[in-house]
Amino acid sequence: MAQYTNYILVCGGTGCRASQSEQIIENLKAAVDQYGLEDTQVIRTGCFGFCEKGPVVKMIPDNTFYVQVQPSDADEIVREHLVKGRKVERLLYVNPETHELVPDSKHIGFYKKQLRIALRNCGFINPENIDEYIARDGYVALGKALVEMTPEEVIKEIMDSGLRGRGGGGFPTGLKWQITRKVQAPQKYVVCNADEGDPGAFMDRSILEGDPHSIVEAMAINGYCTGASKGLVYIRAEYPLAVERLKIAIRQAKEYGLLGENIFGTDFSFDIEIRYGAGAFVCGEETALIHSMEGLRGEATVKPPFPSEHGYKGCPTNVNNVETYANIPVILLRGAKWFSSIGTEKSKGTKVFALAGKVNNVGLIEVPMGTTLREVIFGIGGGIKDGKKFKAVQTGGPSGGCLTEKHLDLPIDYDNLLSAGSMMGSGGMIVMDEDDCMVAMAKFYLDFTVEESCGKCAPCRIGNKRLHEILQKITSGNGTEDDLTRLRNLATVIKDTALCGLGQTSPNPVLSTMDNFYDEYLAHVREHRCPSHQCRELTQYFINPEKCKGCTLCARVCPVHAITGDRKIPHIIDPQSCIRCGTCMEKCKFGAIYVH
Amino acid sequence: MNKVKTLDDLKKMRESLRASLDLREKSNTPDQLVQIKVSMATCGIAAGAKEIMSYFIEVLNRENIDALVTQTGCMGYCYAEPTIEIKLPGKEPLVFGYVDKTKVEEIINKYIRQGILVDGIIPVTYTAVKPE
């Protein structure tokens, strides 16, 4: 049996592979053979997430971390590090602040960039086993609050921590609790908003699926602070696994006496029930959410009165988002001071982002507030797919805006994103590359809002529909420059006059793409051209007669028979019947078909 | 089921639960209690994590390896699902991505049996807040 004592790990992530990490692996293997090191094995790993310094090579067991390794360095690494036992200093990572060499991967600041607070137990414990949650300090925060602290003290701790609502608005959580607490009423409610609706965002689902007890615990703490004896989780029915695990968690907590009558022997009693939503985007808005729970139509109503005064069944109701709740137990255990030491001046703690789109490492990440977009997209995200060029990133979903290259070094927090014309939202981050058309992107989000508008107020119901029609006109090549003015005016009016958050923010994708990519809009209306070749009506497919071999494949795959030509003679596409589906271009083996 | 009546009850319970977790982690008998966690959020399951979990159990039974296979939530490496974490007694946990049936066999035969690393390791890129 072969026994290895030394390992060389080489990053096989997309970014490093593009910089010849495969060749490095081969050269390392050859060098290991050459020096007869039978106890050493070369391993290809997934992405280290340190792509800006790639390719990276890590030596085990001593954790030495080599960066920007070239295939020609392989021999030296094996000879020096393994044979002679000396580190190759010129390949070590240099700390950019102190300019010192960092020999050990554990001391590289990059790996401190992702800090999991809300996701602390996700991927670590078995979510269906309360014992594992308790072994990780579960329910100790609730016990501490009930036994050792007054509700005011708990609220003060949350206020001091600087925690703000993670659902998107960023309202200070402690303040919300205090307002609900101050209202006198015989019955109050606390609600967990698990109606995650942003396209591409799935952090709330992941928390409920990976760590449901943290929500149960935090809701009970919230109940204690606000004086509510009843908690309701409003969750979309299309999250069956999250619902299932939440149900198990509630049942187990009841069995252990951590929910129910006289918790921890105190006179505090608390119970949680689940309410199902049908998956309407507007029901993430708290007044609409409450109406939906009451069995009414999911429509927003004017605030004030705020739910903290007049909420579910007319009772004071405190609504918080899943991720907000997930932070609460840690804050009580670690203290407000610890929590507020993380993040920026006005945004404390961490934020979970769902990284999606044209990025290599699609995934769920959690970073301290103040991390830059560049660190997220090019560091943790591993850069843009297929080596393409970064164009923009959409944050805040259909309510947010796009951020461009000039925003890459912007520290992410609530206020910076707002002033850059976007918003935090629930944390969806959709990365776009050079092939994405920004006008079409704005139209995509408008599709969504038009579909999801509850229809109660005219600006949102009619205005968004009109916005969508103008965008449709532009992307089909019939737009004029006047349309751009109308687009901007209408967008501004909707923003100022819509009733709830959905309508007030729905024109954001239009406005921010107009601000950042006005030239693309101009190309659509002036030249009737889509620079990214995404708008079908504005593109035309051609066959390059010099490259076409007349193999007839394109003619056979064309669904509308728009391609004609004889064998071994260059084919022709009839632009009148072509539906621009792109199938021919995909199938052509000679790269003879191009789009213009 | 004993109810938790006081905060001390809970803390005592936590200590004993921690001790039992610890016992598993510090076990020095390498052929005992290998711990395998399968990332099973909706996304992992959609990528085939359930099949991988049952296949792990099947092969481990067949090969007579004493191991603990559990499910857990999303580890965040959505691009590399299904992902699993393996903790051999006395060693740091390792995460493997893109696990299919062939990979399961390879992991069991090489890493779990002989401690030899195999391709496809996902380096952990975050630190999680740990208990007090």
Side-chain angles (χ1 to χ4, degrees):
Chain A
M1 176 171 110
Q3 262 308 342
Y4 295 107
T5 50
N6 291 314
Y7 292 98
I8 310 178
L9 306 188
V10 185
C11 180
T14 319
C16 288
R17 268 223 304 269
S19 352
Q20 291 185 290
S21 75
E22 289 298 315
Q23 190 60 47
I24 297 173
I25 293 177
E26 270 183 37
N27 292 5
L28 282 169
K29 282 184 177 163
V32 166
D33 281 347
Q34 188 197 330
Y35 293 101
L37 304 173
E38 282 168 3
D39 61 346
T40 303
Q41 195 192 2
V42 183
I43 296 284
R44 177 191 300 108
T45 72
C47 180
F48 273 86
F50 201 37
C51 314
E52 54 181 315
K53 291 282 172 197
V56 294
V57 170
K58 185 174 167 178
M59 312 297 284
I60 290 205
D62 67 359
N63 281 328
T64 305
F65 204 73
Y66 291 126
V67 295
Q68 290 174 322
V69 177
Q70 300 292 318
S72 55
D73 297 327
D75 182 73
E76 188 178 348
I77 291 178
V78 173
R79 178 163 37 86
E80 286 293 310
H81 194 107
L82 293 174
V83 179
K84 297 186 185 159
R86 293 191 295 231
K87 292 188 178 184
V88 185
E89 289 200 356
R90 67 179 180 87
L91 294 175
L92 290 176
Y93 176 67
V94 182
N95 183 325
E97 277 149 35
T98 60
H99 302 287
E100 282 169 5
L101 292 176
V102 186
D104 185 332
S105 65
K106 289 194 173 146
H107 295 101
I108 291 180
F110 174 79
Y111 287 104
K112 293 174 196 142
K113 274 185 194 142
Q114 268 211 76
L115 175 66
R116 285 187 148 198
I117 297 177
L119 297 175
R120 63 195 176 279
N121 291 327
C122 285
F124 193 84
I125 62 167
N126 180 352
E128 296 180 9
N129 186 345
I130 189 173
D131 288 348
E132 295 203 7
Y133 182 66
I134 291 175
R136 298 268 290 176
D137 286 347
Y139 292 102
V140 176
L142 175 63
K144 188 178 167 188
L146 294 186
V147 178
E148 295 167 4
M149 296 168 85
T150 64
E152 287 83 6
E153 283 170 344
V154 179
I155 290 176
K156 184 168 184 307
E157 198 73 11
I158 303 296
M159 278 180 134
D160 291 348
S161 76
L163 177 68
R164 295 168 67 176
R166 297 292 192 247
F171 191 81
T173 307
L175 188 60
K176 204 176 205 176
W177 290 21
Q178 195 181 48
I179 295 169
T180 316
R181 174 169 180 76
K182 281 189 177 158
V183 182
Q184 297 290 330
Q187 176 71 54
K188 296 182 190 175
Y189 292 94
V190 297
V191 171
C192 173
N193 181 351
D195 188 72
E196 189 171 44
D198 279 10
F202 56 95
M203 55 286 296
D204 294 349
R205 174 172 62 72
S206 289
I207 291 170
L208 287 166
E209 286 175 357
D211 194 17
H213 282 285
S214 67
I215 305 304
V216 172
E217 179 179 9
M219 285 180 74
I221 295 171
N222 188 358
Y224 174 67
C225 291
T226 54
S229 60
K230 189 114 193 185
L232 298 163
V233 181
Y234 184 80
I235 184 166
R236 34 182 62 210
E238 65 211 58
Y239 280 180
L241 187 63
V243 170
E244 183 58 34
R245 289 192 176 151
L246 187 62
K247 275 187 184 163
I248 295 173
I250 294 172
R251 198 192 65 222
Q252 288 175 339
K254 280 182 184 165
E255 282 170 5
Y256 275 54
L258 296 164
L259 278 182
E261 303 289 317
N262 303 102
I263 302 169
F264 287 107
T266 65
D267 54 9
F268 175 67
S269 303
F270 191 74
D271 195 14
I272 296 179
E273 280 180 27
I274 299 178
R275 293 282 185 276
Y276 302 103
F281 184 59
V282 73
C283 289
E285 199 279 336
E286 50 186 13
T287 59
L289 181 150
I290 288 168
H291 296 314
S292 171
M293 288 202 304
E294 290 167 335
L296 303 171
R297 280 185 68 165
E299 285 180 337
T301 40
V302 185
K303 293 193 273 192
F306 289 93
S308 44
E309 291 156 354
H310 186 93
Y312 182 63
K313 291 184 179 165
C315 303
T317 304
N318 186 97
V319 185
N320 282 128
N321 159 272
V322 173
E323 192 189 331
T324 316
Y325 277 124
N327 281 291
I328 301 287
V330 189
I331 294 175
L332 288 192
L333 292 179
R334 293 274 180 126
K337 213 175 156 190
W338 168 80
F339 191 81
S340 62
S341 70
I342 303 161
T344 62
E345 197 194 334
K346 287 187 178 160
S347 306
K348 302 298 187 189
T350 56
K351 178 75 192 90
V352 182
F353 290 103
L355 201 52
K358 306 278 181 68
V359 66
N360 279 320
N361 302 338
V362 168
L364 199 61
I365 63 162
E366 183 170 351
V367 288
M369 298 277 188
T371 308
T372 65
L373 276 173
R374 188 186 298 282
E375 285 166 333
V376 168
I377 296 166
F378 291 90
I380 301 162
I384 309 299
K385 266 187 188 153
D386 303 324
K388 294 258 168 94
K389 203 167 163 289
F390 168 80
K391 186 173 199 174
V393 56
Q394 174 83 9
T395 64
S399 310
C402 67
L403 301 165
T404 62
E405 200 155 2
K406 66 172 188 272
H407 300 114
L408 275 180
D409 293 305
L410 184 80
I412 306 168
D413 70 7
Y414 290 100
D415 312 289
N416 280 343
L417 288 183
L418 270 183
S419 55
S422 183
M423 67 183 281
M424 184 71 86
S426 60
M429 230 186 224
I430 298 173
V431 180
M432 282 159 283
D433 70 6
E434 51 191 307
D435 292 344
D436 290 306
C437 169
M438 302 312 284
V439 187
M441 201 277 299
K443 194 177 112 210
F444 166 81
Y445 281 110
L446 250 295
D447 276 339
F448 182 84
T449 352
V450 167
E451 181 92 348
E452 293 291 343
S453 170
C454 77
K456 180 162 177 136
C457 71
C460 180
R461 182 183 68 241
I462 304 169
N464 280 325
K465 183 80 187 152
R466 294 288 97 83
L467 271 189
H468 186 258
E469 283 166 3
I470 300 174
L471 286 171
Q472 180 63 43
K473 196 176 158 197
I474 296 174
T475 52
S476 60
N478 301 316
T480 61
E481 282 190 57
D482 287 346
D483 285 325
L484 298 187
T485 324
R486 282 175 46 214
L487 200 60
R488 189 181 285 278
N489 289 345
L490 182 54
T492 319
V493 170
I494 297 173
K495 217 175 144 113
D496 290 343
T497 55
L499 178 65
C500 79
L502 192 155
Q504 287 157 11
T505 56
S506 59
N508 281 354
V510 178
L511 289 170
S512 80
T513 47
M514 283 187 94
D515 288 341
N516 291 303
F517 297 96
Y518 197 65
D519 51 336
E520 278 193 34
Y521 278 86
L522 281 181
H524 280 78
V525 295
R526 276 190 189 155
E527 304 159 40
H528 304 293
R529 180 175 69 85
C530 174
S532 329
H533 310 308
Q534 285 297 301
C535 299
R536 273 191 191 178
E537 280 99 334
L538 297 182
T539 53
Q540 205 173 338
Y541 285 80
F542 295 98
I543 296 176
N544 182 344
E546 281 165 23
K547 285 188 181 168
C548 179
K549 307 270 185 228
C551 73
T552 74
L553 183 61
C554 56
R556 278 181 280 143
V557 296
C558 178
V560 291
H561 309 293
I563 304 178
T564 47
D566 291 324
R567 284 175 66 86
K568 299 195 176 166
I569 294 169
H571 284 42
I572 294 166
I573 301 176
D574 171 22
Q576 296 302 313
S577 34
C578 172
I579 55 163
R580 296 141 185 125
C581 63
T583 312
C584 52
M585 192 155 100
E586 224 170 83
K587 295 281 181 193
C588 180
K589 293 193 170 78
F590 308 101
I593 298 174
Y594 63 97
V595 59
H596 196 67
Chain B
M1 178 58 60
N2 281 339
K3 288 217 170 185
V4 183
K5 297 214 178 60
T6 64
L7 183 54
D8 284 336
D9 274 4
L10 180 74
K11 285 184 175 164
K12 260 181 225 153
M13 205 167 145
R14 177 182 68 181
E15 294 319 312
S16 72
L17 289 169
R18 247 189 216 166
S20 68
L21 274 181
D22 247 24
L23 200 69
R24 294 207 302 243
E25 283 175 13
K26 286 184 182 150
S27 163
N28 280 323
T29 35
D31 53 349
Q32 270 185 351
L33 284 172
V34 174
Q35 287 183 67
I36 301 167
K37 288 179 193 166
V38 184
S39 187
M40 291 246 267
T42 300
C43 35
I45 293 173
K50 258 191 185 157
E51 287 78 18
I52 291 304
M53 182 159 168
S54 8
Y55 193 65
F56 249 110
I57 296 171
E58 186 191 318
V59 179
L60 289 167
N61 280 342
R62 194 177 70 211
E63 306 271 317
N64 236 337
I65 298 171
D66 202 1
L68 195 78
V69 186
T70 55
Q71 59 172 350
T72 186
C74 176
M75 297 187 204
Y77 309 110
C78 311
Y79 64 95
E81 293 289 355
T83 49
I84 57 151
E85 184 191 278
I86 299 193
K87 168 121 186 39
L88 297 185
K91 288 201 172 163
E92 292 274 309
L94 268 187
V95 179
F96 294 90
Y98 309 103
V99 180
D100 56 12
K101 288 191 173 178
T102 333
K103 199 83 206 167
V104 172
E105 306 260 355
E106 194 187 352
I107 290 172
I108 290 177
N109 288 330
K110 293 227 169 127
Y111 185 60
I112 294 182
R113 287 215 144 150
Q114 313 178 43
I116 300 173
L117 298 188
V118 296
D119 285 352
I121 295 168
I122 305 285
V124 174
T125 51
Y126 55 80
T127 40
V129 174
K130 291 205 173 63
E132 287 171 309

